[in-house]
Amino acid sequence: MQTYLVGGAVRDKLLGRAAGDHDHVVVGASPEHMLALGYKPVGKDFPVFLHPTSGEEYALARTERKTGRGYHGFAFHADAGVTLEQDLARRDLTINAIAEDARGVLTDPFGGVRDIEARVLRHVSPAFVEDPVRVLRVARFAARFAPLGFAVAPETMALMRQMVRAGEVNHLVPERVWAETRKALAEAQPSAFLRVLRDCGALAVLFPEIDALYGVPQRAEFHPEIDCGVHLELVLDQAAQLAPGDDLVGFCALTHDLGKALTPTLELPRHVGHEHRGIAPLRALAARLKVPTEHAALAELVCREHLNAHRAFELKPATLLKLLSSLDALRRPARLDSFLAACMADKRGRLGHEHDAYPQADYLREARAAAAAVDAAVFVAGGLTGPAIGKAMETARIAAIAALKANHPESGSAV
């Protein structure tokens, strides 16, 4: 029995990055042997065990064979006769097909170290085409490693295009698409995720609402990048900077402008009403991918209200309170922060505007604080009951926001 550290932990060590989970492969052992040593079985489709003390995963070396379409169309074989090289051969990318033994000696049969040095995402073998999830994984790794200069190898991109043409990605289950997308949105450069998927044709299949934004023009005086798809890429990367690792803010950024793809041609490059047109495609996308409820709900609010956030200084106090109430911001200030991060990303996601100030964020937080400071106890003590308390509180909150507005240097006089 021999054990090896494999996958991301080895790759990240070579890149000088902090490693996440430590996964191991075990060669020369049987399930019975692992159980006798105290390992706890957790694998459903193939033998995976948890170390009795560290809790880290140890999987028996295995091979796999394609038996049908989609992610589940595989048969796995694991026994003491499967070699380390055979196990590494089934992995997706060369940079993930490196093993390290207890002495630190690397086993690298597919040139993963070379590709790490060359900053290349390259498939291990032609068997890459058998698993459509790999298209999403490559795009996700591009989002993670693009800041380090990684790019997809031309021959790997060719295989991915072949998979799309063959209809393999059509068989991806929504849960896997969302799982990979969610991870990509939390990476350092999510725009690379979209670009890779678009280059291989998968974006149009998996995210037609997003793919439709590319080639749609915007007014150059407001959007020097012009193309709505390019704008979306810029917004995603701004969101990743403003809220690192936050896939909720990332999803809001991803879907905030879907309505621009539905602007009538004769109205271009203006997009009047796009914030309302975007609701239907957003709901369709969220339902299709089974997106978590909070992601879908906040994304819809960002889609509908981001223009109001941009013009916060122009809004009447009653409208500001309505905006805050729609966000449930008085009870959930963190939700307001997520909303504002997505709106700020939209404002900065334009060529030449990457460092623009966004004073609207502090103003809306101050308005929220002023409204939240209104205490119901005052009105109860004054003898009000039932709905009258709510009405009085609303009036007092509008007055509090009006006082803030009157004293704010950037705010207008509208009340």
Side-chain angles (χ1 to χ4, degrees), residues 39-106:
Y39 287 79
K40 301 175 182 179
V42 293
K44 294 180 180 179
D45 298 320
F46 43 80
V48 179
F49 301 84
L50 297 182
H51 192 280
T53 55
S54 71
E56 294 179 348
E57 284 195 1
Y58 285 71
L60 295 188
R62 65 185 187 270
T63 59
E64 60 189 33
R65 177 172 53 86
K66 184 74 169 174
T67 58
R69 281 190 174 273
Y71 171 69
H72 295 290
F74 289 91
F76 297 94
H77 171 70
D79 65 29
V82 178
T83 67
L84 176 62
E85 288 75 11
Q86 287 176 314
D87 182 272
L88 295 175
R90 67 175 179 78
R91 298 175 184 270
D92 50 6
L93 298 173
T94 61
I95 66 171
N96 298 328
I98 309 169
E100 179 183 87
D101 68 13
R103 298 170 298 164
V105 177
L106 298 180

Side-chain angles (χ1 to χ4, degrees), residues 13 33 39 52 88 147 152 162 200 252 273 294 301 309 312 342-343 358 369 396 414:
K13 183 177 179 180
H33 187 188
Y39 287 79
L88 295 175
V152 180
Q162 175 186 325
C200 71
C252 292
E294 177 61 8
L301 286 164
C343 294
Y358 196 66

Side-chain angles (χ1 to χ4, degrees), residues 5-45:
L5 185 66
V6 293
V10 180
R11 177 199 66 224
D12 290 344
K13 183 177 179 180
L14 293 171
L15 283 168
R17 292 166 56 96
D21 296 333
H22 284 68
D23 296 327
H24 303 78
V25 66
V26 181
V27 178
S30 66
E32 293 75 20
H33 187 188
M34 299 294 286
L35 291 172
L37 292 174
Y39 287 79
K40 301 175 182 179
V42 293
K44 294 180 180 179
D45 298 320

Side-chain angles (χ1 to χ4, degrees), residues 66-191:
K66 184 74 169 174
T67 58
R69 281 190 174 273
Y71 171 69
H72 295 290
F74 289 91
F76 297 94
H77 171 70
D79 65 29
V82 178
T83 67
L84 176 62
E85 288 75 11
Q86 287 176 314
D87 182 272
L88 295 175
R90 67 175 179 78
R91 298 175 184 270
D92 50 6
L93 298 173
T94 61
I95 66 171
N96 298 328
I98 309 169
E100 179 183 87
D101 68 13
R103 298 170 298 164
V105 177
L106 298 180
T107 298
D108 179 26
F110 304 104
V113 174
R114 178 196 61 225
D115 284 341
I116 285 175
E117 294 171 348
R119 300 303 197 244
V120 174
L121 300 174
R122 190 192 317 276
H123 64 284
V124 168
S125 76
F128 178 94
V129 302
E130 295 177 350
D131 185 356
V133 172
R134 289 173 172 172
V135 172
L136 287 165
R137 280 176 56 82
V138 171
R140 173 165 64 83
F141 281 122
R144 178 181 302 179
F145 294 128
L148 300 180
F150 275 81
V152 180
E155 60 269 31
T156 301
M157 181 59 72
L159 280 185
M160 291 165 65
R161 289 172 181 149
Q162 175 186 325
M163 294 167 73
V164 173
R165 289 195 298 270
E168 277 290 333
V169 297
N170 299 71
H171 296 275
L172 285 168
V173 296
E175 291 83 359
R176 287 311 302 264
V177 176
W178 171 244
E180 294 296 327
T181 301
R182 187 174 197 170
K183 292 175 184 177
L185 292 172
E187 298 291 4
Q189 194 172 320
S191 61

